[in-house]
Amino acid sequence: MLKIGLISDTHGCWDSRFEKHFKECDEIWHAGDIGSMEVVNQLSRIATLRAVYGNIDSGELRYRFPETLRWQSEGVDVLMKHIGGYPGKYDPSIRKALYAQPPKLFISGHSHLLKVAHDPLLNLLHINPGAAGRYGFHAVRTLIRFIIDGEEIRDLEVIELNDQP
C-alpha cells in the first residue's frame, strides 16, 4: 500500500503547507510546470519524488525529468504527462500511446483545473490535480492525496489551499 501526494503547476511556488499535507505520503508525483529546483528539492525532502517536466520548465528540470513517465505502482500501470488533455479530448502528443496501451491511471496537469474522471472507453482513471502555484487563472489552488493498494486506487482526497501562505 502506498499513499500518494499529487501536485502540478507549482510554477516555482513553494508553500510550506505542501509538506503538511504530504508528510504522510510514501511518494509525491508532480505533473509538470515545476518551475524551480527549489520546489524539487523541498518535495524530495518529504518523500520519493516522481515528476515530468512541463511547458514552462527548462534547463535542469528538463534534463532531470522526462516529458512522459510510465511505471508500475503496486499493481497499477501509471502514465503521466504534463499536457495530456481529458477523456474524449486527449492531447495529440499522447493520444496514440493511450489508445495503443491504456494505463489504469493517467495523470496530467497544464489546464490548472482540477478534474477526476473515469474514461469508460479506455477503462482508465484520469486525474488532473489542478494547480498548486500562484501563477495562472485558477481561482483555487489544489493538491490531491490518494492510496494505491495492490490494483486498487482509493481514498482520493482533494485539498484546497486558500490565499494564505
Side-chain angles (χ1 to χ4, degrees), residues 77-141:
D77 181 20
V78 182
L79 178 62
M80 183 164 62
K81 184 178 186 299
H82 180 62
I83 300 176
Y86 296 103
K89 295 182 180 182
Y90 292 116
D91 189 77
S93 66
I94 196 69
R95 189 179 304 135
K96 186 176 180 181
L98 285 170
Y99 280 84
Q101 188 179 5
K104 182 165 185 171
L105 176 59
F106 177 54
I107 295 169
S108 65
H110 187 62
S111 72
H112 289 222
L113 300 174
L114 171 75
K115 188 167 189 173
V116 178
H118 178 257
D119 182 335
L121 180 64
L122 299 179
N123 194 30
L124 64 80
L125 177 63
H126 173 264
I127 302 176
N128 183 323
R134 297 186 186 282
Y135 175 80
F137 62 86
H138 53 283
V140 179
R141 298 167 53 220

Side-chain angles (χ1 to χ4, degrees), residues 27-53:
E27 294 185 358
I28 298 170
W29 301 348
H30 197 303
D33 277 2
I34 302 162
S36 74
M37 283 304 295
E38 176 194 0
V39 171
V40 169
N41 294 336
Q42 294 282 20
L43 291 173
S44 295
R45 277 187 326 95
I46 303 166
T48 299
L49 176 65
R50 294 181 191 265
V52 293
Y53 70 76

Side-chain angles (χ1 to χ4, degrees), residues 37-74:
M37 283 304 295
E38 176 194 0
V39 171
V40 169
N41 294 336
Q42 294 282 20
L43 291 173
S44 295
R45 277 187 326 95
I46 303 166
T48 299
L49 176 65
R50 294 181 191 265
V52 293
Y53 70 76
N55 56 297
I56 68 123
D57 295 321
S58 61
E60 189 173 356
L61 293 169
R62 284 191 183 225
Y63 179 77
R64 182 162 178 187
F65 301 107
E67 180 180 19
T68 304
L69 186 61
R70 190 168 197 154
W71 73 99
Q72 286 290 129
S73 184
E74 295 264 311

